[in-house]
Amino acid sequence: MAMRSLTGRAMRMALREHVAAFVIVQMVLIFIALMLDFADSFESIRAAAEGRNLVAVIGQYTLYRTADIVARLMPVAALLGAFLAEIRRRALLETVILSAAGVSALPTIAALCWMGAVTGWLQWKLERDWRPAAVFAQVELGAGDYAERYAEGLTDDQHWFVREDSALAGRVLVGPQPELREVSYFIGLNGAGFDRLIRADTVRPLGGGQWEFEDAEIWTSTPDGRLIGLPAQTMELPLWFQTNRLRYLNPSAYYLPQEVLLTRAEADPEDPYMRTTIWRRGTAWLLPGLFSILGATLAMTGFRGRVTRVPILVGMAFGGYLVTLSLKIFWALGEQGALSVPVAVLIPPALALMISAVLQWLMHRESRGRRLPLG
């Protein structure tokens, strides 16, 4: 009997309905998001297409933006799709007939688990690999908001790189071969000043943590506060940050390629921003399945016998939206260090699972003839 619930006809019927609803909702969300995005980005797309085929550039841009949009909205599509699928199944009397035949909600939950396994893998792959690749492919294309925010080239302002007793300031040439320009490197910082100052026109990475300072002037501080300079020369010095710190200068942690993210997290293991992103990517596979189960469960509570309880359905839909909204809230708390990172990342999926389990238990008890406070 348990195997029939997991693989039988009732499960397959539920799976078809839920897959169709999820795909339709996801496509609608993608369409709406792309239309809003094109309204803001079309001029930059047209500029990026100068000398190229405009249709091909639009196609590339649409593909890159779709990867980003799906990664953001898949949990919402999972919840809303499952919610609407259960309402449609009720309208077609499918669930009524199954209930009259003594079939529980288990085949539906099994169908959502099977679907969640696939969509969970997609969510994990999008968060970890495809979304970061799409963002920087869009930067390379030169179209859209990301291309403007993370544009390659020489920065207008100086950027500071600081550790305990050293600091380096310079303009950054962002790109596949990053380097620093107009550099001031302060060594031996203390409350009263510094021991040495190295100025260089250009600083290039050589590999292995070594950097080449081109046309460098060395200024040494004397005990009486004077600076003594030495002639310009080319020299090699180690620096504490890696080349990818310049290549990916401004992007948020969740846009970083996985290997870059892990490298930065290893360099600063206490950084809550990096740790939250690692945990987000590691648990992304949980979200679509759990939110699908939550959406279906919330919809099931809107019916009692022949009565469709519209206020209950509306309230449950709003409650499901709040749970999806809690994802960003708790992620932000983890990134700011206000909550332990594992706690911040795991609360929303745990909340979805807990609400689903409690409501399913209440509905099961109610089906046994016990009047319970489900509205």
Side-chain angles (χ1 to χ4, degrees), residues 194-254:
F194 54 86
D195 295 334
R196 284 193 301 164
L197 167 62
I198 300 176
R199 293 188 181 275
D201 292 337
T202 304
V203 176
R204 297 188 179 92
L206 297 175
Q210 293 293 117
W211 297 68
E212 180 184 70
F213 286 68
E214 186 177 290
D215 296 328
E217 298 178 351
I218 303 176
W219 296 84
T220 304
S221 177
T222 63
D224 58 2
R226 293 185 300 112
L227 291 175
I228 300 175
L230 296 177
Q233 56 181 304
T234 298
M235 56 194 301
E236 294 181 12
L237 290 173
L239 291 176
W240 61 91
F241 51 87
Q242 298 185 340
T243 307
N244 66 48
R245 182 68 183 86
L246 308 182
R247 174 68 182 92
Y248 303 100
L249 183 65
N250 294 316
S252 301
Y254 42 84

Side-chain angles (χ1 to χ4, degrees), residues 61 64-65 68 133-147:
Y61 179 80
Y64 302 149
R65 287 296 294 134
D68 185 38
V135 167
F136 288 101
Q138 185 180 323
V139 172
E140 186 177 341
L141 183 65
D145 180 58
Y146 291 136

Side-chain angles (χ1 to χ4, degrees), residues 26-170:
Q26 186 70 82
M27 294 299 292
V28 169
L29 292 176
I30 290 171
F31 178 79
I32 293 172
L34 283 174
M35 291 303 99
L36 293 174
D37 185 80
F38 273 111
D40 293 330
S41 303
F42 190 75
E43 288 302 320
S44 69
I45 296 171
R46 188 161 58 183
E50 187 173 350
R52 292 185 283 180
N53 186 293
L54 178 60
V55 175
V57 173
I58 291 175
Q60 286 181 272
Y61 179 80
T62 301
L63 177 65
Y64 302 149
R65 287 296 294 134
T66 298
D68 185 38
I69 290 166
V70 172
R72 292 171 182 266
L73 297 181
M74 190 181 290
V76 178
L79 182 136
L80 185 56
F83 189 86
L84 294 177
E86 281 304 304
I87 293 176
R88 183 174 187 275
R89 293 179 73 208
R90 172 69 184 205
L92 296 174
L93 301 182
E94 181 181 322
T95 53
V96 175
I97 295 170
L98 289 172
S99 179
V103 179
S104 70
L106 186 57
T108 300
I109 302 301
L112 293 172
C113 288
W114 285 114
M115 191 176 78
V118 176
T119 54
W121 179 83
L122 288 173
Q123 182 77 46
W124 172 77
K125 195 66 177 174
L126 280 163
E127 290 281 1
R128 185 182 184 275
D129 298 317
W130 296 340
R131 185 189 189 188
V135 167
F136 288 101
Q138 185 180 323
V139 172
E140 186 177 341
L141 183 65
D145 180 58
Y146 291 136
E148 182 179 343
R149 281 193 281 168
Y150 309 139
E152 297 180 353
L154 190 63
T155 60
D156 295 329
D157 302 322
Q158 285 195 327
H159 289 262
W160 285 86
F161 305 86
V162 182
R163 68 172 181 178
E164 294 176 356
D165 61 349
S166 303
L168 184 146

Side-chain angles (χ1 to χ4, degrees), residues 285-321:
W285 62 274
L286 291 169
L287 299 180
L290 288 178
F291 278 90
S292 291
I293 294 172
L294 176 63
T297 301
L298 294 175
M300 291 175 188
T301 63
F303 304 98
R304 173 178 285 156
R306 298 182 179 182
V307 178
T308 300
R309 301 177 293 177
V310 176
I312 297 295
L313 281 174
V314 173
M316 290 297 178
F318 182 68
Y321 168 74

